[in-house]
Amino acid sequence: MADPVTFTVNGKSMQAPGGTLLIDACKRAGVEIPAFCYYEGLALQAACRMCLVEVEKAPKLMAGCTLPVTEGMVVHTESPAVVKARKTTLEFLLTNHPLDCPVCDKGGECELQDMVFRYGAGDSRFTEIKHHVDEKQWSPVVYFDAPRCILCYRCVRICDEGLGVKALGVTNRGAYSEITPNLGDHLECDECGACIDICPVGALTSGIYRYQTRPWEMEHVATICTHCSNGCKTTLGVKNDQILRGNNRDRSGINGEFLCIKGRYAFDFVEHAERLQSPLMRVNGKLEEVSWSKALSFVAQRFSEIKAAGGKFGVIGSEHTTNEENYYLQKFARQGLGTPHIDHRRSGDLPALLDALSSKQNTLATTADLYNAKGVLIIGSDLSQQHPFLAYQIRSDARLHQAKVFTVTEGPVREDKVATKAIRAAAADHLATLKTLADDLKSIGDLIVVFGDSIKGAAVAELVAFIDSLGIPAKYVCLVDYSNSRGASDMGLLPYLGPGYHVSQQPGMSMSEMLADAALDALWVVGSNPLKNATLASPKAFVVVQDIFLSETAQRADVVLPAASAYEKSGTVTNVCGEVQRIRKAVSVMGTKADLDIFGLLARAMRLELGQATPDKVLEEIRSTVHGYNVPLPVIATGGAAMTAPVNGRVPAAAHPQAIQSARDTLFTSGSLGRYSKTLNAVLESPGGLYKP
Amino acid sequence: MYPSLLHDSPHPSETVVLSKRYRLPNSRSIDTYLANDGYKAFMRASQMSPEQIIDEVKTSNLRGRGGAGFPTGMKWSFVPRTSPKPKYIVVNADESEPGTCKDRVIIQYDPHQLIEGILIAARAVDAHRGWIYIRGEYRYLIDIMDEALAEAYARGWLGKNIQGTGFDFELSSHTGAGAYECGEESALLESLEGKRGVPRIRPPFPAVSGAFQAPTILNNVETFAAVPSIFLMGGQAWADLGIPKAGGTKLTCLTGHVNRPGVHELALGFPVRKMIEDVGGGMRGGNKLKAMIPGGSSCPVLTGEEAWELTMDYDSMAKAKTMLGSGGVVIMDETTDMVKACLRIIRFYQHESCGWCIPCREGTLWLKKLLTRLDEGVGSAKDIDLVGDLADNMLGRTFCPLGDAAALPTMSIVRKFRHEFEAKLAKKAVSMAGLPQLVSING
Amino acid sequence: MTFSPELEKRFAEMAGKYPEGRQKACLIPMLMYAQDEVGYISEELKAEIARRLSISVLEVNEVVGYYTMLRKKRMGKTHLQICTNISCLLWDGDKLWDRACEKLGIGHNEVTADGTVSLEEVECIGACSWAPAIQVNYDFQHNVTIDQLDTLIDDLRKA
């Protein structure tokens, strides 16, 4: 940080570190210098000329976005010359801008409207003919209307610098300059929609959202995306109980305005025609629709019978349900049903990491840490595909802070482009390979190690020991797949660990063992699809499935209970780094119930005393009993992220670490959920692949 | 082969220094060059330190000959010679300023003089590689330049260990592809790197971050070509060819309504009247001088009266609120339609605007549409006011000087020849006499 | 896609003229010289040059759209470029232009039906002291009169 300098803006004395851009310095002091092309974090352009201000002793107006403050500088941001410059620059801009406001999606959220309102003239003197170019469609998701474009180049920069994809460029010249997609007339990219949201006007619009509503007609519900584990905030626009769009233009949440195609567009599974909207019961071999009361009482009755007879229950939890639901479920299983056999589909060896880090302080990285670290080591994951927000943080860290990145992966990854060293190795060799980087890593100030399922079991401890030997401060991220995979683990959906990684008094069967046990009496599957790739050995098992679609597992069930998706209920989820955030109910789908409600109703029907099954009450219990989850409520309640502080002692190892495997989703797949998103499947890049940049 | 660009002999009023070899037979061959003081200046400069070389150029008062007129010695001194980055020399042979056709003459008739000037600049900043960026339309000159470069390499004046001095220098030509904006130094550097010709944010300037982000000397063809003479006759002697604060000679392109248009080497400070009457052989058809562009279309236009008393140097032109510019003198006689001229000039800038910044790309297009209409006589007095106002709204607000280059001539023409605009409107105005009265709705 | 031996030689020598790792600098020269051979900047040519320089076709498209000499469609066997900028305008360059359009029956950036001649109204070509001036492909012709233009066009049509 350079020494502070003192300068004057509009008569007021200010201070800022020498070299700070004038536009930034003013912003921090509450003086707004308007700009279109200037965007924090992206390369400077000085193209729009809206930020021109008067600087004493300068021969002409200076662009505030490229002018560093110096000692004694005297600036006027509202002088008549500046006011005139802004007014006339906007007048120039509006000459070819079409009068589309009544039909343009951006109306009401448009930065050009805002600018003209504040700084523009009341009318335009332009009476010539405007130059028209037809609107183009570049993908199912992206539409481009050239006459509306103000050529601020934000879209080009966010795609190139921010996403590392570089699918947009500029062609032609002068007033006929046009943004152009990488395949000439269409896009091949991540289809993330960042370009659409960063566009200050309605030049780039969403094919999913367009022409359906005005933004002020929607209710905006900020919740957490239900797909991957990164925990991005997505603000859903809801009208008439229908989700019309998702974005994060208000930059709330840990992800700023970053979202991938799933966070922005893959909410459409909510209203898929095949949504389960009625409980189903197997009658004469066929699943038939029944009422909730009939289904619930039947399940309660059968569970009570099996429990009384000392039968064996297997419970498989979800990677998408809330912490409250996970906590309640394991309580239901262990206390209510008296069974130790509870598990979920595990994708990362968290217990092994926590064990290796026992007695160390401050060794788990947050998503913010990934933006500030001096070095990042990526092992065994195609982050841009599988963890796009983490990839975005790391890429931004490399771009803006010159962080050193190292990749050790089975194939090429996008992060190679910013990596100091990029090494290819088969999963089995990752540990040995990364050890060859000892000398490179030693010289870095601090390091974050991000690892996938190629490091599990005993290898985790070996990894930590190796990093320790380097003698530099290090933090870790153990990658898991889905929106609450971390929460499933933290809340004890594990056969040998209870909530907060306390050793379970009685260890139970793992998921694969349950499925292979021919003597299993009952199987309760919540929000998971284990029978997609496995079979249930026990022919007589009473199978109850709670899910949002009739998955392969649900098709085998005796009773199917229609569940609400994450966008239809409230609670908390924990992202891959351990940051807890609140999800908020955006819409309702008739006939479904939140999993927690179902647990509560079953518990009541079975006369079990498991506590009140509401998110608030359960969260209270979690905060007071689960190690590390004493997170501050005001942070959660106001939409913030609170980092958990997991167990700081020894944690026993998993019995079969080789069962821990990533689902290897790409940007365009999402477990069993992705197939129900029309948007995810409509884009030409779908289903995509890993390790092919 | 190629059309001749020279009159049979120089005009007696010319100061023949830079152009001294032009009329020699085989003027562009290296043998002719060597037989006529060729490469002697480089050998002399090779005995001097970089500081001495720069001082000599400073003493000469040589100013950039492309149009901006920045003191050359000072520009060279900005290059951080001790930087670990390689240093480069880039020659701006993009010559696209309307009215300008002199760099063409230098390359066609004495390419080795340019090479020698580049070599001396290279010694001043320890550069070992350079490029001559030549506009794409000048293909035959690129071929001529390539031939000269091949000769120089073959005879040991380029490449490794030049003439045993221990100095290495690699030099090649690089073609443009049709873009006036690439004559702007930072846009040229972008084009050199294989990108769109869009200018860069400055600072940093090319001297610090230029070609391939390394310290670079970037100058016009004529600027480099003038350097060998400076080292042959000495900086002060060269400066004294001109006037104080404007040293040396300048290749001046006389174009437009004179009897004897052509490219002539005139000493700085040459009187305009003499230039037109003597060197230019007088006004075509004995017509009167209505207007004059002193140095390429990017300058404010002078009326005949204003121009008559001026001299061709930086201060005289600046006092008259215009510029010496590139040396492209455009003489307009009384038959000239100033509105049409204004339109054509704006059409040029609109066509060449790179589109990066709002005021230039939208402003030039609006002005073009407006002036097209006014040229046809369709409009009102407010529209004439609007022309000057729009131009004024571009002035000083754009990312690079092209916006100013479009605004300045436009504003000067509409202000000094407003009556011509009004006359066009008057001619086309529709009389309301005899037409039915319009009905007022509001009682 | 392969080019003539001369062009391949030029390309091979070009790369070495720029600093290590900055071979994208070859893009515009390669496009210009290849255009002479191929006739215009075709999709195939763009893909080939992008491949050779390890850049994306998008980067090539950005450049092709910017520079007026890079042509996206084939021009005539002879491409007539007539300057109407200020110095040529003062010597009736605009009348030369009108004459050419009238005689050939085509306009700016258009080709005659038989593909022999195309026209382009160009900006200043640097022949201001020898106005009015035109370019016939790369060749300059100075002080062109209407008669000379007529003869030129007649000869081109006969060929």
Side-chain angles (χ1 to χ4, degrees), chain A residues 44-49 84-85 88 91-92 95 125-129 150 153 170-174 176, chain B residues 178 196 201 350-359 361-363 365-366 369 373 386 389 393 397-399:
Chain A
L44 299 175
Q45 310 282 275
C48 69
R49 316 310 285 174
K84 179 169 190 225
T88 53
E91 186 184 26
F92 278 136
T95 56
R125 301 172 288 179
F126 183 80
T127 54
E128 319 302 327
I129 298 182
I150 62 171
Y153 316 111
V170 191
T171 191
N172 297 344
R173 192 166 82 191
Y176 302 106
Chain B
R196 296 161 61 81
I201 295 173
Q350 185 276 317
H351 185 256
E352 300 297 332
S353 170
C354 76
W356 184 248
C357 74
I358 293 174
R361 75 165 181 264
E362 308 295 344
L365 185 57
W366 189 354
K369 291 179 180 175
R373 191 157 53 79
L386 189 58
D389 203 28
N393 289 336
R397 309 257 186 90
T398 54
F399 187 66

Side-chain angles (χ1 to χ4, degrees), chain B residues 3 5 88 96-101 104-105 129 131 135-140 142 172 174-179 181-182 191-197 212-213 253-258 261-263 284 330-332 336 340-341 344 347-348 351-352 354, chain C residues 10 15-20 22-30 32-33 36 59 61-63 65-70 81 83-87 89-92 94-95 108 121-131 135 138-143:
Chain B
L5 305 179
Y88 297 126
S96 307
E97 181 75 30
T100 317
C101 49
R104 197 172 155 195
V105 177
R129 185 179 271 201
W131 299 274
R135 66 178 292 183
E137 295 85 344
Y138 280 1
R139 174 61 68 83
Y140 84 95
I142 296 176
S172 53
H174 181 103
T175 180
E181 178 64 13
C182 290
S191 184
L192 181 67
E193 292 184 21
K195 299 187 269 184
R196 296 161 61 81
F212 308 101
Q213 286 68 51
C253 319
L254 265 185
T255 78
H257 296 152
V258 286
V263 178
R284 174 186 76 159
V330 184
I331 303 294
M332 290 171 265
T336 309
K340 199 162 153 201
R344 188 57 184 88
R347 271 183 59 201
F348 169 69
H351 185 256
E352 300 297 332
C354 76
Chain C
R10 184 187 285 277
K17 299 193 165 137
Y18 303 97
E20 182 83 32
R22 305 302 294 266
Q23 273 56 50
K24 185 173 166 179
C26 299
L27 177 59
I28 293 162
M30 280 176 86
M32 284 291 282
Y33 286 104
D36 291 339
E59 288 173 89
N61 278 332
E62 288 193 298
V63 155
Y66 179 88
Y67 294 94
T68 51
M69 288 185 80
L70 295 176
Q81 301 137 82
C83 176
T84 58
N85 208 317
I86 188 70
S87 297
L89 181 71
L90 293 172
W91 282 95
D92 293 331
D94 56 332
K95 298 209 173 56
H108 176 65
E121 185 187 1
V122 292
E123 300 297 340
C124 179
I125 51 177
C128 322
S129 290
W130 311 286
Q135 274 191 283
Y138 284 113
D139 297 332
F140 280 80
Q141 283 196 22
H142 293 169
N143 305 111

Side-chain angles (χ1 to χ4, degrees), chain A residues 558-575:
Chain A
D558 296 298
V559 181
V560 180
L561 301 171
S565 79
Y567 295 145
E568 302 148 36
K569 60 189 176 186
S570 299
T572 62
V573 292
T574 309
N575 78 356

Side-chain angles (χ1 to χ4, degrees), chain B residues 293-304:
Chain B
I293 294 175
S297 65
S298 303
C299 309
V301 173
L302 297 161
T303 61

Side-chain angles (χ1 to χ4, degrees), chain A residues 38-61:
Chain A
Y38 172 74
Y39 199 88
E40 228 177 298
L42 298 179
L44 299 175
Q45 310 282 275
C48 69
R49 316 310 285 174
M50 282 303 293
C51 67
L52 292 178
V53 292
E54 213 174 298
V55 179
E56 282 182 21
K57 297 208 202 107
K60 52 182 191 174
L61 297 178

Side-chain angles (χ1 to χ4, degrees), chain A residues 355-390:
Chain A
D355 184 49
L357 296 176
S358 71
S359 79
K360 291 192 212 293
Q361 298 287 355
N362 217 5
T363 46
L364 291 176
T366 62
T367 48
D369 287 339
L370 287 170
Y371 177 67
N372 290 310
K374 295 212 177 53
V376 181
L377 169 62
I378 301 167
I379 308 162
S381 178
D382 188 349
L383 287 185
S384 296
Q385 294 291 316
Q386 303 175 277
H387 298 276
F389 175 51
L390 302 190

